[in-house]
Amino acid sequence: MRIPCAYANWKMHKTLPEALEFIYEFVPALFRDVKEGDVGVTIFPPAPYIWPIRQELGDDSPIFIGSQNIYTEKEGAFTGELSGNILRSAGASHILVGHSERRHKLDESNELVGRKLDRVIRDRLFPVLCVGELLRDREAGRTKEVVKEQLEAAWTGQEVTGGAIIAYEPVWAIGTGKNAEPRDAQEMCEYIRTWIAEYFTPETAASIRILYGGSVNPENISQYARLPDVDGALVGGASLDPGSFAAIAKAIAHSGGAR
Ligand code: PEP
């Protein structure tokens, strides 16, 4: 069973007081109309806010906190990096891996993304693997080829469970206001699910959650939330405002429930 999800990627935005203010407003706005279990919400704040937000939410909150990044090694002399154990002890359960800004602005290769995914799985955290094509790939008709290369490079023999999440995020749609056509998002999420069925098992493919990301907002989310292979959204810009992210999470929760 796949509970749909709404994930907020705050990137390098907000001060700590602004982040806590978001939580005060978002939690009541979300649970006014949504029951726990209707939608899985995870917030990926800047790393120093993981612990204060976790504290603010309390241990019994159904809202998860994630990290936007992880290092490949378990521990050691790696100044400035963050391990899975450090992130977990601060309250993170989910880790973004391979976000397009890290691939394309910070030069993370497919190979490095694979090593990070490996780390997340070994450390028993939930990976959110981001894949997606550049505009030039789409225009050249290479969308599926590029996404397949990213998937194959990331999963280098690790086990995968239904707890893993994949986000299909066409790079040209991220932060541009140019969201993908719903039929294209469905086609790619279905393609990814079929790949998972062939590479792993049909059972894994049926249980893994696949999200769409790229200029999602409260106005366009319902077009994606009802697609059969789209289990929710990874949201950047529109997740910075508590009212807007609550509206997105509610639309996902009310989209027909678990699949
Ligand atoms: C993202 O950062 O993953 C993202 C999808 O951003 P935006 O919603 O702003 O396009």
Side-chain angles (χ1 to χ4, degrees):
M1 189 173 78
R2 309 195 307 264
I3 305 230
C5 28
Y7 287 2
N9 175 16
W10 286 355
K11 314 189 191 209
M12 203 171 72
H13 292 295
K14 292 191 188 293
T15 61
L16 179 56
E18 286 166 353
L20 295 176
E21 186 63 35
F22 176 103
I23 300 297
Y24 305 141
E25 291 183 32
F26 173 71
V27 175
L30 176 67
F31 293 115
R32 209 170 290 138
D33 305 316
V34 163
K35 291 195 302 304
E36 276 186 38
D38 284 351
V39 59
V41 173
T42 304
I43 298 172
F44 297 84
Y49 311 164
I50 292 173
W51 173 248
I53 292 180
R54 185 73 272 158
Q55 292 292 101
E56 189 54 44
L57 286 167
D59 287 341
D60 54 356
S61 170
I63 295 177
F64 296 104
I65 305 299
S67 169
Q68 298 172 19
N69 192 21
I70 190 169
Y71 192 54
T72 51
E73 302 304 316
K74 198 166 180 59
E75 67 174 330
F78 302 105
T79 301
E81 296 295 340
L82 297 169
S83 69
N85 283 345
I86 290 172
L87 292 165
R88 182 193 290 98
S89 72
S93 50
H94 292 59
I95 314 284
L96 287 184
V97 179
H99 189 276
S100 76
E101 286 148 20
R102 297 206 63 88
R103 289 179 188 268
H104 299 294
K105 295 186 182 173
L106 294 152
D107 286 335
E108 286 197 3
S109 63
N110 273 348
E111 189 267 332
L112 179 58
V113 171
R115 287 198 288 132
K116 289 190 172 187
L117 183 72
D118 194 45
R119 182 81 264 149
V120 176
I121 293 173
R122 281 172 195 271
D123 286 347
R124 306 210 174 278
L125 291 154
F126 295 111
V128 183
L129 173 68
C130 304
V131 294
E133 80 286 1
L134 294 165
L135 185 58
R136 64 166 183 263
D137 301 322
R138 177 160 283 267
E139 287 174 346
R142 294 189 64 239
T143 300
K144 287 183 180 158
E145 196 183 320
V146 167
V147 167
K148 186 168 179 238
E149 272 167 22
Q150 292 172 340
L151 292 168
E152 283 177 352
W155 262 296
T156 52
Q158 307 93 327
E159 274 184 42
V160 65
T161 66
I165 295 112
I166 299 176
Y168 168 62
E169 300 205 296
V171 181
W172 47 270
I174 297 180
T176 58
K178 293 184 192 143
N179 52 306
E181 287 296 330
R183 67 169 176 276
D184 292 335
Q186 165 57 26
E187 185 183 353
M188 285 311 297
C189 292
E190 186 181 1
Y191 175 76
I192 292 167
R193 203 175 297 285
T194 305
W195 185 88
I196 295 283
E198 286 166 5
Y199 196 84
F200 295 100
T201 63
E203 292 71 34
T204 303
S207 62
I208 206 161
R209 281 173 294 179
I210 304 177
L211 313 183
Y212 166 73
S215 296
V216 165
N217 60 38
E219 286 72 47
N220 63 27
I221 181 59
S222 52
Q223 294 176 279
Y224 299 105
R226 55 174 174 252
L227 297 169
D229 283 296
V230 177
D231 302 309
L234 175 57
V235 188
S239 75
L240 294 170
D241 176 76
S244 146
F245 187 53
I248 291 170
K250 281 182 209 176
I252 292 171
H254 297 150
S255 66
R259 298 179 163 99

